[in-house]
Amino acid sequence: MITKSIPSLLTVGNLFLGIVAIILVFNEKPQHAAMMVLIAMLLDGVDGRVARALNAQSEFGKELDSLSDVISFGVAPAFIMYVVAFTELNQTLAWIITALFPICGALRLARFNVISSAPGYFIGLPIPAAGGVLATLALFKDDIPLTVLVLSSFALSLLMVSTVKYPNFKKIGIPRSAVWVVPIVVLIAIILGVTLEKQLYKIVFIPLLLYALYGLKKNVDWRRKRRSRRRHPVTENNEEPVQSDTSA
């Protein structure tokens, strides 16, 4: 019974860190708040793998995971960006942009729960990646114009509800015999987060941003190829298409 509860405990840990992140950012500790979101991403990445390794998958765990993700990767990053940067905006605009992110995240999760994605891919930017980008992007507030931050938040929101395909790494599982390594990895992540708080978020931001841009680039390439095929149809053996005589 305890073994079957381990994945849910990891998910609850994800939710707890999301709530802590919200508290920290309102206590003027945005770097610590962003770090909580990143560690929550780690827990979110391993809870499903642990569930599969222990054969403890359930509808309860799936729903709990989605509810936790809305808080940890939707609400928390949005509040981090709001407190760090958006308070300088017009209040109405700041509220709308801030609210849009978790709303799109919730829509993304709802769609994920009811629609099957293509094998090996997610449809739309996964909310943990979007939340990780937003939470860490907020910490570059002094280096990036406010307009860029607003447009980035808006773009991430749209990418979550888009039909852009993103690689799905969740199929990479954890052997049952290696489940004991998970708490050690989480502990190491926490230690690194505490000791390298000013550098780690910059290191993590880069791969997260590249992931968000990768799916967008692949989608643009796919659409470009599709248009090219429509304009220049190719028949078998590279022969020119021949029109058949359909007259009686």
Side-chain angles (χ1 to χ4, degrees):
M1 184 66 179
I2 296 177
T3 301
K4 297 290 185 181
S5 301
I6 291 176
S8 293
L9 291 175
L10 291 171
T11 305
V12 170
N14 162 13
L15 175 58
F16 173 75
L17 291 175
I19 295 170
V20 170
I22 295 171
I23 295 171
L24 286 170
V25 74
F26 280 106
N27 281 276
E28 301 180 354
K29 295 180 179 179
Q31 289 186 343
H32 291 85
M35 199 57 60
M36 293 301 103
V37 173
L38 295 179
I39 297 173
M41 285 182 63
L42 176 60
L43 293 181
D44 180 68
V46 300
D47 60 1
R49 291 175 172 84
V50 170
R52 288 190 290 273
L54 299 177
N55 195 25
Q57 295 169 281
S58 66
E59 286 300 314
F60 172 81
K62 183 179 178 180
E63 296 301 324
L64 178 62
D65 185 68
S66 294
L67 292 171
S68 299
D69 286 357
V70 170
I71 301 297
S72 297
F73 311 121
V75 178
F79 276 147
I80 292 172
M81 181 63 82
Y82 174 80
V83 171
V84 171
F86 290 174
T87 50
E88 299 177 10
L89 290 172
N90 170 272
Q91 189 178 72
T92 302
L93 177 61
W95 287 6
I96 291 173
I97 294 296
T98 300
L100 182 66
F101 187 82
I103 288 172
C104 289
L107 293 172
R108 164 70 177 75
L109 288 166
R111 183 178 65 185
F112 174 76
N113 286 344
V114 298
I115 298 177
S116 299
S117 300
Y121 288 92
F122 290 119
I123 302 299
L125 179 63
I127 188 173
V133 172
L134 192 69
T136 51
L137 183 65
L139 303 182
F140 291 92
K141 186 254 181 184
D142 294 332
D143 305 310
I144 299 176
L146 182 57
T147 304
V148 174
L149 295 178
V150 172
L151 292 176
S152 298
S153 180
F154 184 70
L156 288 168
S157 301
L158 293 185
L159 283 174
M160 284 191 287
V161 295
S162 70
T163 56
V164 176
K165 291 183 179 180
Y166 283 89
N168 178 3
F169 301 115
K170 286 198 170 186
K171 297 301 181 183
I172 302 174
I174 299 175
R176 186 183 179 95
S177 59
V179 170
W180 62 271
V181 177
V182 171
I184 297 175
V185 172
V186 173
L187 182 60
I188 292 173
I190 293 173
I191 294 172
L192 288 175
V194 172
T195 57
L196 302 173
E197 60 175 307
K198 294 184 179 179
Q199 292 84 22
L200 191 60
Y201 75 86
K202 295 179 181 179
I203 297 171
V204 176
F205 170 74
I206 296 172
L208 288 176
L209 179 62
L210 290 176
Y211 179 75
L213 294 176
Y214 171 80
L216 191 58
K217 178 184 180 299
K218 293 292 286 185
N219 190 68
V220 171
D221 291 344
W222 175 77
R223 291 181 183 278
R224 190 176 296 165
K225 288 179 182 178
R226 190 176 179 184
R227 288 175 186 170
S228 178
R229 287 171 186 166
R230 286 178 178 176
R231 291 175 185 173
H232 308 288
V234 180
T235 58
E236 237 180 308
N237 298 324
N238 296 320
E239 294 178 355
E240 291 295 324
V242 179
Q243 291 184 345
S244 59
D245 186 2
T246 56
S247 57

